[in-house]
Every structure is written in structure tokens, then in C-alpha cells.
Amino acid sequence: MARTSSRDRMKNEINAGSMADIAFLLLIFFLVTTTIDIDKGITVKLPPWSDEAPEITRLATRNVFSVLVNAQDQLLVRGELAKIEELRERAKEFIVNPQKREDLAERPTKAIISLKNDRGTSYKRYVEVYNELKAAYNELWDEECQRMYGIPYDEDLPLAYRRAIKEKIPFVLSEAEPTAFGEEN
Amino acid sequence: MGHFVKKRGKSSPAISTASLPDIIFMLLFFFMVVTVLREGERKVRVVVPQATELQKLEQKSLVNHIWIGRPIEKYQSVYGTKPRIQLGDKFANEFDIPLFLEQHKIKIPEAQRPAITTSLKVDGDVTMGIVSDVKTSLRKAGQLKLNYSARPRQDKI
């Protein structure tokens, strides 16, 4: 009798009912530990380093949009104090120059934005300023893209389209060596 | 009419839960694959600033990270409160960057090396001095693709 009953038990399968619970436990562990942090940021391209002093090129003042950020995080745009809220619009106006003004860029291809900061400028401020300048270009590219192809500009656009747009409105941002003001201790 | 009656009669068998473990396991494997266990500890405090013009960093293997921020409390007695650079899991200064870049570079096939991007994770309250030093060092090392890591911000400022 005992033998048959043990054989009966052999026939039984392992109870898989708790498998789901175990899997749930593991699942919850991984759910909690997972941090899907998407790495995002402002992409920039640095100029290559050269030991020789750069050639001094004379640029017409009208083609240069100079932005200075000092150690107190104040902005000086083309020689006058400015607020960050107006930076984007001013940069856009400077680049396209819709009214063909004498003191703004001749053509978008000739426009140069020059950014200079102190060593004491906070990084937050720097990123804000850089973001606004980049935003100005992004908005211009978007407008140009709408005009040329009737679709909004984004990074998934075919390379040829993006090249054509960037040829019309190239992103030229030159960064000067920072001045040594306000270095923290 | 007859059909309806039949169906009502058949409603007794419960839904089989036999496939539940399989479904859960599928989810489990998904999360196991997605999970990246953070390697090394963070020794500097970094809260990246907010921005709107963000671009996603593609291909994680082609990205190396440089952290800049003030040492967390545990290390302040040794390293002080001045902003410091963290490379991998060690404190470093800007002269260690070329070696750090090289060590990352040799792990990557030669064809992909031009696409290597450096992600700068810098605390918003750090001043530009140390960031400029790092940038100069990166330029000297020939690492020109850079990404200022930032959090998304919806509204315009």
C-alpha cells in the first residue's frame, strides 16, 4: 500500500502555483532598482586645440553678436545690459535681419555669435545662455524647414535636408577663453 | 436564443492562470535586461541644470562621463568643499582626463571612435572655471564631441 502511494506521488507534478509569486517578487525587485535615466543634454562641438595663437581676423562689427556673462551672472549683449528672456528673440533678429538693418548681420551665413564668460560665472547660467542661443537657431531652422519642405525640423530629418538648412543658416558660435574673474575658493 | 442559453450554461470554467508565470517571467526578463546597475559610487554631488534644447545620447557604450561637483559630506573632511572632478569612481583633476579618455577609447572598435561623446555632468552651482579647465583638457586630448547633461524643462524662461 505504502509503495503504491509513493509511486502515486512520483506521478504528481511539482506544484507550479507559487512560481508566479516568485517571479512577481523578482519582478518587483527589478522594477524598484531600475532607473531608466535617459541621458540627455545640449550637444556641442569644441574647436580643435592649436598651440599657435589664432589668426586675428577682422570682422565687421555688424556681423558679430557678442554675449558676455560676468561673474555676477549678468548679461552684456552687444555692449549693453540685457535680460536672458530677450536673448533668444534678439539673437533671432540678429541672424535673419528681416528689416535689413545696418547694424545687424548681413546674411545668416555671415552671422557669428561670440560667447564669453568669466571663470566665476555659474554653470547654470552658462547653460541657460547657451540653451537660449541654441534655441534661437533651432527655431530658425524650424521656420526654414517649414518654408522649404513643409515639415517641422527635428533630428530625424534626412541628412540632406538638414545639410541644406544648415548651409543657409549655419550655427557659428565662437567661445572665447574665459577671463579670470570671480574664481571661487 | 438557443445560443445564448448555451453560453450561459458554459460559463462555469475559470480562466486558466497557467500562463501567468510565463507572462510575469517575460516582464521580469525585460526589466532584467533594461536594468543598469550603477557601477561605482557617486562621490560628488551633481544636480544638472535645466534646459530645453536637449538631444538624446545614442549608444551608451560610446559615451564617457565626467562628473564635476562638490564632494558629498562623507568626503568633505578629506577633499574639502571645492568643486572636484570625478572620473569613473575616483576623484581626479583635469590632467587625468587624457588617460581616462584613452582607457575608454581602447575598448571601442576603431571605426566607431570618431563618434565617442563625452557627457559632462556638472552641478548647476559650480562656476565655469573648473569647467573651462576640463574643456581645455578635452580639446588638447582631441575629444571634441561634448554633451552638457541637463534635465528637460517644459516652459520657456
Side-chain angles (χ1 to χ4, degrees), chain B residues 86-157:
Chain B
Q86 185 184 348
L87 298 173
D89 54 359
K90 289 189 285 291
F91 281 110
N93 58 35
E94 67 264 23
F95 309 112
D96 301 325
I97 289 174
L99 182 66
F100 170 75
L101 292 174
E102 200 56 40
Q103 279 168 346
H104 174 249
K105 205 185 250 178
I106 51 171
K107 286 188 232 154
I108 286 161
E110 224 167 316
Q112 289 182 312
R113 286 185 190 170
I116 295 176
T117 311
T118 297
S119 170
L120 270 190
K121 305 209 177 233
V122 186
D123 192 275
D125 295 325
V126 165
T127 54
M128 282 306 287
I130 189 165
V131 183
S132 303
D133 293 340
V134 169
K135 271 161 73 183
T136 309
S137 190
L138 287 171
R139 281 173 63 193
K140 282 182 179 167
Q143 172 60 44
L144 304 176
K145 281 189 91 178
L146 197 59
N147 186 286
Y148 298 129
S149 194
R151 284 172 293 149
R153 181 187 57 201
Q154 299 306 318
D155 56 304
K156 286 183 186 179
I157 49 165

Side-chain angles (χ1 to χ4, degrees), chain A residues 76-133:
Chain A
L76 200 70
V77 177
R78 306 195 98 187
E80 52 192 279
L81 217 59
K83 286 201 190 77
I84 189 146
E85 289 86 357
E86 60 199 45
L87 184 62
R88 191 187 299 195
E89 284 310 311
R90 282 194 61 179
K92 276 173 75 179
E93 196 193 356
F94 161 79
I95 298 159
V96 269
N97 194 4
Q99 283 136 30
K100 300 275 168 264
R101 275 166 57 175
E102 281 294 300
D103 58 337
L104 300 179
E106 283 171 55
R107 278 192 296 279
T109 45
K110 286 210 167 180
I112 290 174
I113 290 180
S114 146
L115 178 60
K116 190 169 178 172
N117 59 276
D118 286 340
R119 287 181 71 88
T121 308
S122 79
Y123 179 70
K124 199 189 279 169
R125 191 59 161 184
Y126 173 80
V127 167
E128 265 173 17
V129 171
Y130 205 104
N131 186 58
E132 287 307 299
L133 296 174

Side-chain angles (χ1 to χ4, degrees), chain B residues 13 31 34 43 49 52 61 70 91 109 135 142:
Chain B
F31 278 99
V34 164
K43 292 184 174 176
T52 53
S61 62
R70 294 172 197 283
F91 281 110
K135 271 161 73 183

Side-chain angles (χ1 to χ4, degrees), chain A residues 68-79:
Chain A
L68 273 82
V69 195
N70 74 359
Q72 274 80 48
D73 287 356
Q74 290 164 320
L75 246 73
L76 200 70
V77 177
R78 306 195 98 187

